[in-house]
Amino acid sequence: MNAQSDKEEVVKKKIKTPQSLRGFKDVVPEHEAYWNAVEDAARNVATDYSFGRIRLPILEPTTLFERSVGKATDIVEKEMYTFKDPSEARVTMRPEATASVARAYIEHGMLNKPQPVKMWYFGQMFRHDRPQAGRYRQFHQFGLEAIGSADPILDAQMIIMAHRMLQGLGVKSKFLINSIGTEDSRREYIMELVSYFKQFRKKLSDVDKKRLTKNPLRLLDSKEEGMAELKADAPQILDWLDEDSKQHFMTVIEYLDEAEVPYELDPFLVRGLDYYTRTVFEIVQVDDEGVKSQNALGGGGRYDTLIEQLGGREDTHAIGLAMGVERIIRAMKNQGVVLPKDREIDVFFCQLGDAARRKGLVVFEEFRTAGVKIAEAFGKGSLKTQLEMADKRKSKIALILGQKEVLDGTIIIRDMESGGQEIVNMDKVVDLVQKQLGGK
Ligand code: HAM
């Protein structure tokens, strides 16, 4: 090695390859089949149940989340990507989308439309949480929101939709469900809960002591040591529900029984966002024995006062849910769901030599424009390799173009099943292939 290349070596070592941010993931083409499957399933279920798609901004004013998700929640306290934009406005990269949907409902005067207004979304959310398996800082949610009705049938319908969608994707799921009543009935319950946990104050961790004063309901889903025993004897929210909420909840349960959706009543389920009222639920993956996995695939519930809280018309009741797309895909993989990696094709184009490759660009485009599902491998030289690829992708027909055919203005059509070949005029090839495929 000479002095010059030594120097280059040193310079090269200094260059640091940029890496993606912690908790931010690329979706590389090999995983696309899973993403397509989830996106298609989401679009189909939403369309079948008459939900219209809403595309929301990623940046929102910070106050939107403070006033909806709640200032004392983990999300708003610790996890938001909040900064001042160049015009000094406090903005936040959305940690969830229900608040944005509620904002849009009010902003676009959707209360003048037939109610409930049903909307769905699919997109990135951002939470600066500690990354671990199934938990990212940028993740995707598929969400459904129905605003403008208190009817318990909507609560059940949301759950049924999520269940059917997951079933279609090959993921076994179960719903944990609870009711947290109205704000009034909850106030009394919270007083009871606080006085119960106060007896054990000394035993509580610092986190739980803080919850006791700031957000007592969150004590119920505390995973801190020793809390399981304390929680077992804690007062249960269902016993404190007002009559209407109780009736509402019973009706939701009856609908779920009717639809045979698997659920489990979970008296400790309270959720980590402040806007919920009445029905709350979480979706968990279950294995063949019905054992639940830890990470929720989705969650949701009613938010009957959020619209009013954000300045909309009072008594605009609503319900929604959101599912974590990365978690659904993980569950599909865990459950051994296999998807075809490549798009199905009917025709594979093989070329030999430079002239054939050049002509191939045009031929390929003619087929594509005619709507034929065609693939190519212009980067490959050997006919054997190209025919193997055609075979692997289960193509019905291979087209073979060599130097000679280019000169003659012909092309070879090969039937991949029988191996039979036919030389045809290049001008007629699209028509002939379409006929052979039964398309024309
Ligand atoms: P959430 O429970 O905060 O609810 O999130 C819903 C789902 O998003 C979770 O169950 C999980 O699958 C996924 N998720 C949340 N955080 C992460 C993360 N850090 N990494 C990967 N996946 C994650 C909501 O966001 C509410 N807006 C749901 C809703 C809609 N309620 C009413 N309407």
Side-chain angles (χ1 to χ4, degrees):
M1 212 182 259
N2 61 29
Q4 177 66 26
S5 63
D6 262 357
K7 212 168 148 195
E8 275 173 14
E9 190 74 358
V10 172
V11 173
K12 253 191 196 158
K13 273 193 185 142
K14 271 195 189 154
I15 298 175
K16 227 178 150 189
T17 315
Q19 300 269 310
S20 59
L21 295 170
R22 205 160 112 78
F24 285 67
K25 289 259 179 302
D26 298 313
V27 179
V28 293
E30 289 73 30
H31 296 158
E32 187 60 14
Y34 288 97
W35 283 79
N36 277 340
V38 178
E39 266 168 4
D40 286 350
R43 180 175 297 107
N44 288 341
V45 78
T47 319
D48 287 351
Y49 284 82
S50 309
F51 283 65
R53 181 159 191 173
I54 182 159
R55 295 180 194 261
L56 300 153
I58 282 174
L59 270 191
E60 292 276 9
T62 306
T63 47
L64 174 65
F65 303 110
E66 290 172 344
R67 288 175 57 186
S68 53
V69 175
K71 274 192 166 166
T73 58
D74 283 352
I75 296 179
V76 172
E77 260 193 351
K78 302 188 272 202
E79 297 171 4
M80 296 206 304
Y81 283 85
T82 296
F83 51 92
K84 282 209 171 132
D85 76 0
S87 47
E88 294 288 300
R90 260 176 90 233
V91 293
T92 294
M93 288 166 78
R94 60 180 187 198
E96 63 105 55
T98 308
S100 304
V101 174
R103 175 197 51 68
Y105 175 92
I106 302 168
E107 198 167 321
H108 299 281
M110 291 188 200
L111 92 131
N112 297 316
K113 289 179 149 196
Q115 306 291 302
V117 177
K118 302 202 269 185
M119 289 180 270
W120 71 281
Y121 51 86
F122 193 110
Q124 285 97 328
M125 309 293 154
F126 304 85
R127 294 184 194 176
H128 194 273
D129 204 346
R130 199 149 32 88
Q132 50 177 250
R135 199 202 284 153
Y136 308 104
R137 288 179 174 170
Q138 175 185 276
F139 58 97
H140 294 70
Q141 280 185 349
F142 160 52
L144 298 161
E145 313 286 350
I147 305 179
S149 166
D151 195 329
I153 193 122
L154 284 171
D155 308 37
Q157 199 182 44
M158 289 270 162
I159 292 174
I160 293 167
M161 287 172 77
H163 180 64
R164 298 272 184 267
M165 173 180 161
L166 290 170
Q167 216 173 19
L169 289 168
V171 175
K172 291 197 190 74
S173 62
K174 187 184 213 172
F175 290 76
L176 309 178
I177 180 165
N178 193 17
S179 174
I180 56 170
T182 60
E183 240 165 88
D184 285 343
S185 65
R186 203 156 54 233
R187 203 168 297 127
E188 281 179 47
Y189 169 70
I190 288 173
M191 274 160 54
E192 190 67 20
L193 192 69
V194 169
S195 71
Y196 170 80
F197 276 109
K198 264 190 178 159
Q199 313 167 60
F200 308 106
R201 213 188 139 79
K202 280 199 194 115
K203 289 190 185 171
L204 298 183
S205 69
D206 286 348
V207 184
D208 281 338
K209 275 189 193 127
K210 207 170 141 204
R211 284 183 176 138
L212 188 60
T213 47
K214 277 188 118 177
N215 202 347
L217 272 186
R218 297 296 294 170
L219 287 165
L220 292 179
D221 63 4
S222 163
K223 310 268 182 309
E224 300 285 310
E225 224 187 298
M227 275 302 268
E229 291 97 77
L230 293 187
K231 279 194 306 188
D233 290 328
Q236 297 200 353
I237 198 158
L238 285 178
D239 298 329
W240 293 80
L241 291 188
D242 53 287
E243 264 320 301
D244 281 353
S245 294
K246 215 179 273 175
Q247 195 50 48
H248 191 275
F249 190 51
M250 295 298 290
T251 318
V252 176
I253 297 293
E254 277 163 24
Y255 288 137
L256 293 182
D257 284 334
E258 182 82 28
E260 295 180 6
V261 171
Y263 66 86
E264 193 179 299
L265 298 181
D266 181 348
F268 298 130
L269 183 71
V270 287
R271 310 265 303 129
L273 303 95
D274 277 357
Y275 48 64
Y276 289 114
T277 52
R278 294 197 167 166
T279 317
V280 286
F281 57 87
E282 271 182 10
I283 312 163
V284 288
Q285 188 193 351
V286 288
D287 63 16
D288 290 337
E289 276 80 51
V291 179
K292 298 175 272 187
S293 72
Q294 216 187 4
N295 277 340
L297 297 176
R302 284 214 151 263
Y303 44 98
D304 288 337
T305 52
L306 179 62
I307 300 288
E308 184 183 343
Q309 244 163 267
L310 293 177
R313 193 178 60 180
E314 61 183 286
D315 288 334
T316 310
H317 299 168
I319 171 127
L321 72 80
M323 295 199 259
V325 177
E326 285 82 356
R327 291 196 186 168
I328 296 177
I329 291 176
R330 219 166 145 243
M332 288 166 77
K333 290 181 181 165
N334 284 346
Q335 228 138 10
V337 177
V338 181
L339 297 169
K341 272 205 197 103
D342 294 320
R343 168 180 102 115
E344 272 182 21
I345 55 164
D346 289 325
V347 178
F348 197 93
F349 180 84
C350 311
Q351 39 66 38
L352 278 165
D354 256 1
R357 205 176 355 196
R358 202 168 317 136
K359 179 77 185 157
L361 288 173
V362 180
V363 180
F364 182 84
E365 202 48 37
E366 279 172 6
F367 274 91
R368 211 181 64 80
T369 321
V372 178
K373 292 181 202 150
I374 186 168
E376 49 70 39
F378 289 142
K380 301 276 185 244
S382 125
L383 180 60
K384 187 166 169 269
T385 312
Q386 293 179 70
L387 285 174
E388 276 168 8
M389 289 172 78
D391 193 46
K392 205 169 151 222
R393 294 196 58 181
K394 300 196 174 62
S395 182
K396 297 184 187 104
I397 289 171
L399 294 172
I400 305 170
L401 188 64
Q403 208 85 333
K404 182 176 177 314
E405 286 77 24
V406 176
L407 288 174
D408 294 351
T410 57
I411 188 164
I412 300 167
I413 301 179
R414 180 188 172 99
D415 184 313
M416 288 298 288
E417 205 175 274
S418 68
Q421 296 195 165
E422 184 190 358
I423 303 176
V424 302
N425 200 318
M426 181 65 95
D427 299 341
K428 303 230 169 66
V429 68
V430 177
D431 259 6
L432 289 171
V433 166
Q434 279 185 320
K435 274 200 194 107
Q436 204 164 318
L437 292 170
K440 242 187 183 179

